[in-house]
């Protein structure tokens, strides 16, 4: 536990002065009693018990955690996470404790201070032979009409098995034979520094703690040891906290054991998630993994001897991460192909990471399968088995600094490698930026492969040289706010106006037939794009308007082809006047803000495809089994 209470008077003073200074808003009043105070002492009102800071499943919230230069503001991030530490001081409604050890345990549930003086100290239920059953009974004993968080405190170690609990209260119906503690809405589950032993080495469906379609829950001060499919599994949850969790698994490959997994449930994404102080070792898969999460703050993840990744972000957007520490994550014995931090399968936009530290990992940072819009302040890689950084099918990735040192283990010639052709959804690798990175020990510090439009600024190397095209030349800045494209122009070339930050508006002449890749990418002040009447524009290339300030845009009837990630994340409204389209790039409109809307003039523009909230079509009837179509991508856009 991160905080200990020493004196009642001090705690009261601190809480009384701080409670209403916090940004959290609770839906009902609640009371706590300072730890170590007698039951006769008055309760301290906690009308702002932390339920939700702000909805972080939007771009503005993620960006609010940044400094003016775009780097992560560690202080803001950590203060938002630490605000939930007040939950350590909330007195329990139910206390679960056991006599005996392991299979001979007998559990008793008593009412805690928060239950009120009439109930405090009395027995709710006794003689429970299984710790999982005991904790589930405790959760069920909380007031059913609560609309603020109530705490269950666990005062003994727990021992799991694979079988159902003695009274059947520890099973999760959605998974056969799953034996688990299942949280309910508005619950703090505080293990109070105790250990949950997942000790059935023959079962592959042990998930000691599970959260399914719940909101306003916290799991705190827990050690999970042994053998588990997932130590903690959260599915389709909202406003949940995971804090001070130690995961010590046995590394067994039969269950692909994993630490903390936060994912979707059906079509419901998880959102507004807070994760801090996670340490993990011995995971056969990841220490921490997200899948279909919109809005997450992560403080510190420290992973050691995990077969795959320290932190894996899958299909995640609007995220801010503090520090990822990886030691021997994806070592050579497992192929060395993963990393301390991996982003995969449509991560972004608005994903920000402060620091990645990797020692003897497969890689420090690995980005793959159509990710875009990720910024990392610092990557430090030492003695990694492959590259320090690998980007594959990725766009608009920024790494602002760090050191990459080969050491004696590397099997790669490259400190940083950019390439195309992953097995997942694909983007052309382009428009990525690297700054202030010192690379040493590699024969070729940077390899750009078949990628394009990457920028390297103040990067240094020893033991090798950059290739000629590794540093993008600095162009003269365009100083006019209105860009006038000459009449009669037929083509706007790749990158022609890229990074001209003074431009605020532009009119595309009717003579223009194509807008190239990155044509206006990085024009941060560009707000207005107008196509002249009778436009001849047929194609809009990859990232054509990425990194701009465009909030709405209308494409003319002539446009038949869109590239990938063509618009910025601030855009909320798109109109497509074409009656039919010949091609649509991977994640063409994936970066649109939430909520956003795409209006098609004619159903013919998207006929023949299946459109769901996810907008991702796998093996549709008109496609081969290996083809994937990604239409507009972002799940909170609507089609009209």
């Amino acid at each position: 536990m991160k905080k200990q209470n020493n004196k009642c008077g001090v705690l009261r003073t601190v809480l009384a002065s701080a409670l209403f200074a916090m940004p959290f808003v609770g839906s009902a009043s609640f009371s706590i009693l300072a730890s170590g105070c007698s039951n006769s002492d008055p309760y301290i009102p906690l009308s702002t018990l932390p339920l939700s800071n702000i909805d972080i499943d939007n771009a503005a919230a993620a960006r609010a955690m940044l400094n003016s230069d775009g780097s992560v503001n560690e202080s803001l991030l950590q203060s938002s996470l630490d605000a939930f530490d007040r939950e350590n001081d909330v007195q329990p409604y139910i206390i679960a404790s056991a006599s005996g050890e392991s299979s001979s345990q007998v559990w008793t549930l008593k009412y805690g201070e928060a239950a009120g003086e009439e109930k405090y100290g009395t027995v709710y239920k006794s003689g429970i032979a299984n710790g999982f059953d005991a904790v589930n009974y405790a959760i069920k004993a909380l007031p059913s009409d609560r609309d603020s968080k109530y705490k269950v405190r666990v005062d003994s170690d727990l021992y799991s098995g694979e079988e159902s609990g003695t009274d059947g209260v520890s099973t999760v119906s959605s998974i056969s034979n799953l034996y688990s503690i299942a949280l309910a809405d508005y619950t703090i589950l505080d293990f109070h520094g105790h250990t949950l032993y997942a000790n059935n080495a023959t079962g592959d469906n042990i998930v000691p703690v599970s959260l399914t379609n719940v909101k306003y829950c916290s799991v705190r001060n827990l050690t999970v040891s042994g053998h588990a499919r997932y130590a903690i599994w959260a599915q389709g949850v909202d406003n949940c906290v995971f804090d001070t969790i130690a995961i010590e698994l046995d590394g067994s490959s039969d269950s692909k054991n994993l630490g903390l997994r936060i994912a979707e449930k059906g079509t419901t994404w998880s959102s507004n998630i807070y994760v801090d102080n996670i340490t993990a070792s011995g995971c056969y898969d990841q220490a921490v993994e997200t899948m279909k999460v919109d809005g997450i703050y992560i403080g510190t993840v420290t992973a050691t001897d995990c077969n795959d990744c320290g932190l894996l972000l899958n299909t995640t957007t609007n995220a801010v991460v503090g520090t990822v520490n990886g030691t021997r994550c994806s070592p050579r014995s497992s192929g060395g192909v993963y990393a301390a931090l991996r982003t995969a399968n449509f991560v972004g936009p608005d994903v920000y990471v402060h620091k990645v530290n990797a020692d003897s990992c497969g890689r420090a940072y690995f980005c793959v399968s159509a990710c875009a819009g990720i910024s990392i302040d610092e990557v430090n890689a030492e003695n990694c088995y492959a590259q320090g950084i690998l980007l594959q099918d990725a766009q608009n990735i920024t790494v602002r600094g760090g050191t990459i040192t080969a050491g004696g283990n590397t099997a790669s010639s490259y400190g940083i490698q950019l390439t195309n052709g992953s097995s997942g959804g694909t983007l052309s690798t382009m428009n990525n930026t690297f700054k202030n990175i010192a690379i040493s020990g590699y024969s070729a510090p940077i390899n750009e492969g078949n990628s394009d439009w990457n920028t390297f600024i103040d990067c240094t190397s020893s033991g090798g040289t950059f290739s000629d095209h590794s540093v993008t030349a600095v162009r003269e800045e365009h100083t006019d706010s209105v860009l006038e494209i000459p009449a009669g122009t037929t083509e706007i070339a790749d990158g022609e106006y890229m990074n001209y930050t003074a431009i605020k508006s532009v009119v595309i002449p009717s003579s223009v037939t194509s807008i190239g890749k990155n044509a206006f990418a990085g024009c941060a002040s560009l707000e207005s794009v107008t196509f002249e009447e009778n436009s001849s524009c047929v194609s809009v290339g990859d990232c054509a308007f990425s990194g701009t300030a465009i909030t709405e845009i209308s494409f003319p009837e002539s446009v038949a082809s869109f590239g990938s990630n063509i618009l910025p994340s601030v855009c909320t409204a798109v109109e497509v006047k074409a009656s039919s389209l010949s091609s649509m790039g991977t994640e063409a409109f994936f970066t649109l803000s939430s909520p956003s809307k795409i209006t098609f003039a004619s159903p013919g523009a998207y006929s023949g495809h299946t459109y769901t909230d996810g907008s991702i079509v796998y093996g549709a009837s008109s496609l081969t089994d290996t083809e994937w179509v990604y239409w507009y991508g972002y799940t909170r856009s609507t089609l009209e």
Side-chain angles (χ1 to χ4, degrees), residues 399-548:
V399 180
R400 299 171 178 273
T403 59
I404 298 176
T405 305
N409 288 325
T410 185
S412 174
S413 301
Y414 312 123
I416 299 174
Q417 185 172 7
L418 298 89
T419 185
N420 292 313
S422 69
S423 59
T426 58
L427 287 175
S428 298
T429 299
M430 60 166 59
N431 203 26
N432 302 296
T433 302
F434 300 87
K435 303 177 181 178
N436 304 307
I437 299 176
I439 304 172
S440 60
Y442 294 88
S443 59
I446 294 174
N447 178 275
E448 289 189 275
N450 54 356
S451 66
D452 201 0
W453 293 103
N454 303 302
T455 302
F456 297 85
I457 302 171
D458 295 330
C459 295
T460 62
S461 68
S462 62
T465 59
F466 294 104
S467 57
D468 291 340
H469 63 294
S470 289
V471 179
T472 301
V474 178
R475 299 180 300 160
E476 183 178 352
E477 181 63 46
H478 190 288
T479 58
D480 296 331
S481 61
V482 178
L483 175 62
E484 296 183 359
I485 299 175
T489 299
T490 59
E491 179 186 30
I492 299 176
D494 290 353
E496 185 164 349
Y497 301 104
M498 184 177 177
N499 295 329
Y500 284 161
T501 57
I503 299 173
K504 293 184 177 181
S505 65
V506 60
V507 176
I508 308 295
S510 60
S511 56
V512 170
T513 60
S514 65
I515 299 174
K517 298 177 181 179
N518 291 287
F520 296 94
C523 295
S525 301
L526 179 59
E527 298 175 340
S528 174
V529 175
T530 303
F531 290 83
E532 282 188 341
E533 291 186 11
N534 300 315
S535 173
S536 302
C537 185
V538 175
S539 64
V540 178
D542 294 344
C543 300
F545 299 102
S546 65
T548 65

